[in-house]
Amino acid sequence: MDFEQGRVWTEDPVGTPRMPDPVRAAAVRAVLIVAVALILAVMAVLLAAGHSWLSAPALISAVFTSVVATWAVLDVWVTRQVWNQRNGVLSSPSSAARALRRERRRRHRAARSAARGRPARRVHIPRHLPWHLGV
């Protein structure tokens, strides 16, 4: 058991990576604001159903908090987009991946034909591509 080793829990790998801190802070803020907006909306409906004089101020505050909640949800989206632009995933274009697959298939064909005893076809490899050094 992990208690004997001094650890309370072990971390298991998950399928999705953890959200960046600014995005998570914006998301928590948005969830709290949306919860308050929903509570105020329910309160406004109940006060209006009870014909209370507090229904008008409750309705105004519910409308105001729904605008603020919309702004908070948009803030999560914008913060996520900005984070992805600044620190996002580095990816290569699909054309580079296609060229790498094509080269791997050529090497595989050459290895198969060498195993059969036939000489491999001569393939032109452009010298301006960075992966020509490994061939």
Side-chain angles (χ1 to χ4, degrees), residues 17-94:
R18 183 176 164 170
M19 267 196 295
D21 288 337
V23 179
R24 189 175 6 180
V28 168
R29 193 170 43 242
V31 164
L32 291 175
I33 291 172
V34 167
V36 168
L38 286 173
I39 289 171
L40 285 175
V42 168
M43 189 175 72
V45 167
L46 292 176
L47 288 172
H51 301 291
S52 173
W53 65 272
L54 289 173
S55 63
L59 180 66
I60 291 171
S61 65
V63 169
F64 176 74
T65 54
S66 68
V67 170
V68 172
T70 304
W71 189 268
V73 171
L74 282 174
D75 180 48
V76 173
W77 182 67
V78 169
T79 306
R80 183 170 176 261
Q81 294 297 326
V82 168
W83 178 266
N84 283 339
Q85 272 188 341
R86 289 184 184 161
N87 314 346
V89 185
L90 298 175
S91 63
S92 60
S94 61

Side-chain angles (χ1 to χ4, degrees), residues 102-131:
R102 188 180 310 124
E103 185 58 36
R104 192 173 40 224
R105 281 195 304 265
R106 284 179 187 155
R107 278 184 284 181
H108 184 66
R109 274 192 228 116
R112 275 194 316 198
S113 62
R116 284 189 235 140
R118 285 189 271 173
R121 290 187 301 182
R122 179 84 176 145
V123 178
H124 171 69
I125 300 172
R127 294 292 173 195
H128 68 279
L129 297 177
W131 49 82

